[in-house]
């Protein structure tokens, strides 16, 4: 089937590559910019495991081609996907208006973009306003891809939420996704508005769990309790389970942050509001400074001239993105106190360089131990696998002061302290 896909987001690239891999003929229409240049040059556009190779393979096989973002789908196109970014709603409107102006076509527009609740309905109205387009339809298909496991999430989805009021559109969408829906029916069909709100509600639930455990970790600190034991006890309850119950230094990333803000804005716009979600956001932002406060207190509120090593800049492992990541608040706080920072991250250093350039208080380390050399403290912000089993004897020998702050609770406090370190975890 011929599919046109507009966008250069991670969901756009993942959807295009996976659709092509199942035999669809996909035209990927990316706007001008760095992502398009990287993809066409067969370079890494997103630090997503396996994505560059899959795109390259499908492009070589001819099932995935690159089209003009300003171009219109050809005569054989059966579906038009919009996988745009949050701030690209005007572009989505322009695309649909241009489709509606084409005479004699029955369009199926699939909106995967994280726009406001009700936006797909507006696209549907715009699409049907064209000449003889009463049978065209716009549907909502929110993406639930997680960076680091996006390909697996697309190929083996736990659920596919479809917002659709048109029987033919539903049939066509299910045919397009049949290769990913073969073992059992993962589709949950509802109205477009319900599908858009469901995406926001799921995000709201997940971040609420995270912020709740962070609140419990802060309380555990004041009570002298190890929150890890508490977490295991809570997770053992089958009514709750273990997912998204790990305390840490706050969540980041473009998806969680944007979706929570969209959900709050949606509730505020209706006059309902949400005290809970506002508190979730407040807890999360406060949590991003948790380890800084620990370090600041350790050195008796004087960090001037200190060198701080940071392992991990990405908002989560297996991505190179730092959108709303804890390191942003951490750097601002450390620099405000006159500290210098040495950072290592397997993927995110280019993003840091793009944001901060050659800042005098920031050194980009090519190796974890190079970052820690001569440091007065080591802060772990991202739980990359390469950081899980450090050589503590080597660290003790190269660091100026043996202070380790574990922002993801990945170390055994007793074992770290046996090597002479002062250890600070989250709620430990």
């Amino acid at each position: 089937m011929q599919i046109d896909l507009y966008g250069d987001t991670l969901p756009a690239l993942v959807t295009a590559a996976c659709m092509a891999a199942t035999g669809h003929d996909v035209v990927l229409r990316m706007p001008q910019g760095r992502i398009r240049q990287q993809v066409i040059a067969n370079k890494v556009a997103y630090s997503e495991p396996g994505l560059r190779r899959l795109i390259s393979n499908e492009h070589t096989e001819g099932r995935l081609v690159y089209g003009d973002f300003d171009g219109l789908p050809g005569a054989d196109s059966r579906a038009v996907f919009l996988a745009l970014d949050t701030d690209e709603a005007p572009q989505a409107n322009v695309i649909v208006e241009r489709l509606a102006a084409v005479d004699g076509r029955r369009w199926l527009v699939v909106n995967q973009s994280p726009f406001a609740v009700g936006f797909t309905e507006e696209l549907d109205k715009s699409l049907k306003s064209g000449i003889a387009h009463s049978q065209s339809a716009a549907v909502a298909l929110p993406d639930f891809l997680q960076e680091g496991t996006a390909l697996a999430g697309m190929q083996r989805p736990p659920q596919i939420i479809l917002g659709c009021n048109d029987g033919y559109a539903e049939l066509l969408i299910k045919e397009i996704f049949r290769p990913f829906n073969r073992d059992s029916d993962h589709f949950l069909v509802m109205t477009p508005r319900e599908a858009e709100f469901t995406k926001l509600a799921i995000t709201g639930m997940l971040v609420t769990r995270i912020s709740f455990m962070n609140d419990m970790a802060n309380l555990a600190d004041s009570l002298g309790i190890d929150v890890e034991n508490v977490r295991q006890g809570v997770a053992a309850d089958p009514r709750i389970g273990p997912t998204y119950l790990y305390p840490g230094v706050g969540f980041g990333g473009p998806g969680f942050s944007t979706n929570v803000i969209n959900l709050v804005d949606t509730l505020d716009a209706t006059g309902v509001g949400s005290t809970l979600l506002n508190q979730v956001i407040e807890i999360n932002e406060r949590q991003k400074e948790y380890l800084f406060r620990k370090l600041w207190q350790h050195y008796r509120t004087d960090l001037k001239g200190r060198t701080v090593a940071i392992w991990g800049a990405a908002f989560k492992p297996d991505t190179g993105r730092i959108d709303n990541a804890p390191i942003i608040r951490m750097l601002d706080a450390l620099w405000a106190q006159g500290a210098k920072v040495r950072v290592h991250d397997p993927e995110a250093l280019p993003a840091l360089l793009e944001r901060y350039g050659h800042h005098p208080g920031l050194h980009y380390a090519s190796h974890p131990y190079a970052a820690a050399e001569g440091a007065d403290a080591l802060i772990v912000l991202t739980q990359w696998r390469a950081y899980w089993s450090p050589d503590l004897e080597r660290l003790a020998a190269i660091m100026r002061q043996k202070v380790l702050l574990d922002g993801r609770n990945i170390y055994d406090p007793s074992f770290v302290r046996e090597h002479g370190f002062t250890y600070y975890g989250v709620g430990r």
Side-chain angles (χ1 to χ4, degrees), residues 16-286:
C18 289
M19 290 294 181
T22 62
H24 293 298
D25 293 315
V26 180
V27 180
L28 177 58
R29 299 182 179 276
M30 298 173 286
Q32 296 296 327
R34 183 184 64 85
I35 299 298
R36 179 184 176 91
Q37 294 171 357
Q38 295 287 91
V39 171
I40 291 177
N42 195 23
K43 295 181 180 179
V44 174
Y46 294 97
S47 298
E48 187 65 34
L51 179 58
R52 185 205 63 79
R53 178 177 295 180
L54 184 59
I55 291 174
S56 177
N57 288 347
E58 296 311 309
H59 181 62
T60 300
E61 293 294 328
R63 289 185 292 266
L64 176 62
V65 299
Y66 308 128
D68 188 350
F69 187 76
D70 295 326
L72 284 173
D76 295 330
S77 182
R78 300 292 303 280
V80 178
F81 282 68
L82 304 179
L84 304 170
D85 221 335
T86 310
D87 59 353
E88 294 181 308
Q91 288 89 322
N93 281 320
V94 169
I95 292 169
V96 170
E97 288 169 2
R98 294 181 65 211
L99 295 177
V102 179
D103 191 14
R105 291 293 300 272
R106 183 177 188 176
W107 297 108
L108 171 61
V109 173
V110 184
N111 180 29
Q112 292 183 293
S113 314
F115 299 144
V117 174
F119 193 85
T120 302
E121 290 180 352
E122 295 302 315
L123 292 180
D124 190 65
K125 291 177 183 177
S126 178
L127 192 63
K128 288 180 166 62
S129 68
I131 304 171
H133 282 302
S134 61
Q135 291 186 316
S136 294
V139 303
L141 192 77
D143 85 87
F144 293 91
L145 301 181
Q146 299 181 48
E147 294 197 31
T149 58
L151 290 180
M154 178 72 186
Q155 295 163 345
R156 296 182 294 279
Q159 78 284 323
I160 304 173
I161 293 178
L162 173 63
C164 179
N165 293 320
D166 184 280
Y168 175 76
E170 179 182 339
L171 183 67
L172 192 55
I173 288 292
K174 288 185 174 180
E175 173 58 26
I176 292 171
F177 279 84
R178 181 169 47 79
F180 314 122
N181 195 47
R182 188 174 182 184
D183 294 337
S184 60
D185 189 0
H186 299 299
F187 273 94
L188 295 174
V189 182
M190 54 191 73
T191 68
R193 188 175 288 255
E194 289 168 343
E196 292 164 337
F197 190 74
T198 298
K199 164 71 181 245
L200 300 183
I202 288 173
T203 302
M205 176 65 75
L206 296 179
V207 298
T208 299
R209 287 171 67 100
I210 294 171
S211 289
F212 174 79
M213 282 308 299
N214 282 335
D215 236 9
M216 293 301 99
N218 295 341
L219 182 58
D221 247 355
S222 65
L223 296 175
I225 294 171
D226 188 344
V227 77
E228 175 58 17
N229 294 325
V230 176
R231 184 197 67 78
Q232 292 182 20
V234 171
D237 190 315
R239 296 170 297 177
I240 300 173
T243 57
Y244 290 88
L245 281 186
Y246 290 89
V249 287
F251 60 81
F256 268 5
S257 302
T258 299
N259 288 333
V260 174
I261 292 171
N262 282 347
L263 182 54
V264 171
D265 289 345
T266 299
L267 293 170
D268 288 344
T270 62
V272 175
S274 174
T275 302
L276 173 61
L277 287 174
N278 282 317
Q279 289 178 340
V280 165
I281 295 173
E282 181 181 336
I283 291 169
N284 187 62
E285 292 306 304
R286 186 172 66 242

Side-chain angles (χ1 to χ4, degrees), residues 311 369 372-374 378 389-402 404 411 415-421:
W311 284 0
Y369 294 99
E373 191 167 354
L378 169 61
S389 301
D391 186 337
L392 294 177
E393 292 182 358
R394 181 178 178 183
L395 281 176
I398 64 175
M399 291 179 64
R400 184 158 51 199
Q401 300 290 336
K402 293 184 286 187
L404 196 158
Y411 303 128
F415 186 75
V416 173
R417 289 173 180 141
E418 281 184 4
H419 286 77
F421 282 85

